[in-house]
Amino acid sequence: MYDDLREGFTEYLRYERKLSENTIAAYERDVDQYLRWLDEEGIALPEVDKVVARSWLFRLSREKLSKNSLSRKISSIKRFYAYLIEIHAVQVNPFQTIHSPKKDKPLPKVIKEVDMEEFFSQLYKKDDPLSQRDQVLFELLYGSGMRVSEVCAVDISDVESGAHMRVIGKGNKERIVPLSRKTQEILARYLAAGGGRALLAEKAKGAPEKSALLLNHMGARLTRRGVIYIIDKYVRQGALHYHVSPHSFRHSFATHLLDHGADLKMIQELLGHSSLSTTQIYTKVSSTRLRELYNAGHPHA
């Protein structure tokens, strides 16, 4: 019944909006479902008003869709009506004032403690300059919960007396993070005369990097992209059996602290969160993990 409008809408998405084929296919499915429902109800497109639009939402609510799926369907129909108005097929968008539900935030990806232990055992099997650098890198990401951008920005002068490190976080906010004994130990070895950093600095083209703590294989400051490459390298080598992001080490730092009884306020301070509500997402991660352990271990689960 609406074949011409559907084809026109697809061309509009593909050539004017330049959306991906997967996105176009999702929009087409949503619009087809909507048009079939209108046909079943005997309602023509020009007759759709806010009441009909609400009826459509009620119809969707019975499908028990996730917030993300419902939000996408509403977005699809809104864009369809924007196209219809543009070609003068209808005069108003009855979905214009309908707000999509807030999307569910995915829980942070956390590395299991047993996998983290295996990762670090592999990490410490070598002692060449790049391995020393990597040991410092991951001790800071996991041992101190620093953001990857913060770790890459650390200068040698930020290491205070070996036991603490000065970190400049989001919004140029400064905090002091404690360093574990293991981190202090590998830092001392890395920064010693003839240690990993000195040997990496010798590879710099031109003037050597004097301030950066972490250097790449060419003696320049390590970047976020470089950290991602390093993580992928260890995954390929089997130190981790699944891909993770640099932020997963920060998530794991917070979750493992919480699992072992640390106070949420303390974790907030260590992470440099301005609001406790941001830190509270880790309570959801821990309760999810608790449920998994219960289901796996209790005979009546």
Side-chain angles (χ1 to χ4, degrees):
M1 182 177 179
Y2 295 109
D3 288 348
D4 290 343
L5 291 178
R6 286 180 65 266
E7 290 177 11
F9 181 55
T10 298
E11 292 181 1
Y12 165 78
L13 296 175
R14 180 175 290 124
Y15 300 114
E16 293 192 36
R17 305 303 303 179
K18 300 187 184 303
L19 301 182
S20 71
E21 290 302 317
N22 286 340
T23 303
I24 292 172
Y27 277 23
E28 286 177 331
R29 287 193 298 271
D30 295 338
V31 169
D32 283 347
Q33 182 187 24
Y34 174 65
L35 292 177
R36 282 197 304 272
W37 177 78
L38 288 181
D39 188 45
E40 290 168 2
E41 298 294 321
I43 302 171
L45 271 175
E47 298 173 354
V48 178
D49 55 16
K50 292 180 181 179
V51 175
V52 175
R54 293 288 177 187
S55 298
W56 166 243
L57 290 181
F58 178 72
R59 158 76 171 73
L60 292 179
S61 69
R62 290 186 294 174
E63 296 184 18
K64 297 181 179 180
L65 300 169
S66 69
K67 291 181 181 178
N68 290 358
S69 295
L70 182 57
S71 180
R72 192 206 68 234
K73 286 181 180 293
I74 293 173
S75 176
S76 298
I77 303 307
K78 280 185 175 181
R79 180 156 287 184
F80 179 56
Y81 270 97
Y83 165 72
L84 295 178
I85 290 173
E86 188 172 311
I87 65 171
H88 306 293
V90 299
Q91 294 183 340
V92 296
N93 184 348
F95 287 83
Q96 189 62 47
T97 58
I98 292 177
H99 300 290
S100 299
K102 289 185 178 180
K103 294 183 179 181
D104 295 322
K105 289 185 178 181
L107 292 177
K109 186 169 186 177
V110 174
I111 303 168
K112 296 178 181 178
E113 288 187 52
V114 63
D115 293 338
M116 192 71 81
E117 290 300 320
E118 175 62 23
F119 174 77
F120 275 96
S121 71
Q122 295 295 322
L123 195 63
Y124 279 98
K125 284 185 175 180
K126 296 182 180 179
D127 195 41
D128 57 88
L130 287 176
S131 295
Q132 285 187 20
R133 187 274 319 273
D134 294 348
Q135 291 158 14
V136 173
L137 167 65
F138 290 107
E139 288 290 355
L140 293 178
L141 287 173
Y142 176 62
S144 298
M146 296 169 63
R147 299 177 179 92
V148 63
S149 58
E150 295 170 345
V151 172
C152 292
V154 167
D155 290 332
I156 297 174
S157 59
D158 293 326
V159 183
E160 300 186 354
S161 71
H164 298 84
M165 180 172 287
R166 187 176 74 100
V167 177
I168 306 298
K170 286 185 176 180
N172 216 30
K173 185 179 177 182
E174 181 179 319
R175 72 183 188 279
I176 303 296
V177 299
L179 301 178
S180 68
R181 290 180 182 177
K182 188 67 176 179
T183 306
Q184 294 176 49
E185 176 188 321
I186 185 58
L187 259 175
R189 189 158 67 247
Y190 175 69
L191 292 175
R197 192 196 179 282
L199 294 175
L200 289 174
E202 291 177 359
K203 299 182 179 181
K205 295 180 179 179
E209 172 65 67
K210 294 182 178 180
S211 60
L213 176 67
L214 297 176
L215 304 179
N216 63 21
H217 68 288
M218 298 176 64
R221 183 183 290 271
L222 187 65
T223 64
R224 183 180 184 278
R225 180 175 293 181
V227 175
I228 294 172
Y229 173 82
I230 292 167
I231 293 174
D232 288 344
K233 177 189 71 174
Y234 283 108
V235 170
R236 289 195 302 272
Q237 293 174 353
L240 272 177
H241 305 297
Y242 44 87
H243 286 275
V244 296
S245 73
H247 222 57
S248 297
F249 289 87
R250 175 174 163 90
H251 293 322
S252 303
F253 163 82
T255 303
H256 295 168
L257 276 175
L258 197 61
D259 286 345
H260 289 276
D263 178 73
L264 198 63
K265 185 67 176 177
M266 182 196 77
I267 296 174
Q268 176 194 359
E269 294 294 328
L270 290 172
L271 292 175
H273 286 162
S274 56
S275 170
L276 188 63
S277 62
T278 306
T279 316
Q280 284 174 334
I281 190 171
Y282 295 107
T283 62
K284 296 181 180 179
V285 176
S286 276
S287 39
T288 299
R289 286 160 59 83
L290 188 64
R291 167 56 64 178
E292 290 174 352
L293 289 172
Y294 173 77
N295 287 341
H298 197 284
H300 288 185

